[in-house]
Amino acid sequence: MKKILLLIAATAILALSSCSKEVTPVNGDTLPTKATVSGHARYCTYKQNNTLNYPLPVKKGTVINVFYGTPDTNGDIQFAYTSTTSDKNGYFEIELGCPVGKTLTVKVNAMIEADSYASPSTGGNAISTKSYLFGEVSQDIPCGGAKYFDLILLPTANFGNPGLTQP
């Protein structure tokens, strides 16, 4: 009888001590399954004849924005945000935590400033002006998988001279 009581007491103590342990929060850092996002960020500016220059890598340290999430039962996605930076060749890579058996929808984008040609809205020859260049790519990545993102930034707005439009 004493052995049974000691066994019950020892079991109760073990059960109580295991309940007092802290629970680790589940987030992208603690999820064991990852999805790898990698790619190159390059930009194209316009030439004076309104054709695009050959793509060049963005500068080292350019911020690459990464938005990711899994669709809910209605197909809606509440995106989380993180970022990484490019190397001297425009290459970037980041691992995202992903719930097992799910697929992440990932959007990658970046914005830079560069000189590009734009045409006066009244007509005439294109002139070089300061421009914002932007690009975005979206893909689905199964957890445990990897995808390559070819991120091309194009002129979207001019801020150097008034009255200019992009080709």
Side-chain angles (χ1 to χ4, degrees), residues 10-114:
T11 304
I13 291 171
L14 285 175
L16 289 174
S17 66
S18 67
C19 289
S20 65
K21 292 182 181 177
E22 277 188 40
V23 176
T24 304
V26 176
N27 61 39
D29 296 330
T30 61
L31 289 169
T33 306
K34 305 290 183 193
T36 303
V37 173
S38 66
H40 283 90
R42 299 175 296 152
Y43 71 98
C44 295
T45 55
Y46 283 104
K47 299 177 190 176
Q48 194 168 14
N49 66 1
N50 292 335
T51 60
L52 286 170
N53 284 305
Y54 188 78
L56 297 171
V58 296
K59 291 180 182 175
K60 179 180 179 179
T62 297
V63 175
I64 309 299
N65 301 302
V66 181
F67 300 89
Y68 61 99
T70 55
D72 63 15
T73 55
N74 296 327
D76 298 324
I77 301 170
Q78 184 174 351
F79 286 97
Y81 169 80
T82 190
S83 66
T84 188
T85 56
S86 62
D87 70 8
K88 68 179 183 173
N89 298 313
Y91 181 77
F92 60 91
E93 184 173 315
I94 190 168
E95 284 190 332
L96 305 172
C98 185
V100 175
K102 298 286 186 176
T103 296
L104 286 180
T105 296
V106 179
K107 291 182 183 183
V108 175
N109 70 38
M111 185 179 81
I112 63 169
E113 295 177 12

Side-chain angles (χ1 to χ4, degrees), residues 120-121 127 129 158-165:
S121 54
I127 62 171
T129 186
N158 308 310
F159 65 92
N161 298 70
L164 298 177
T165 59

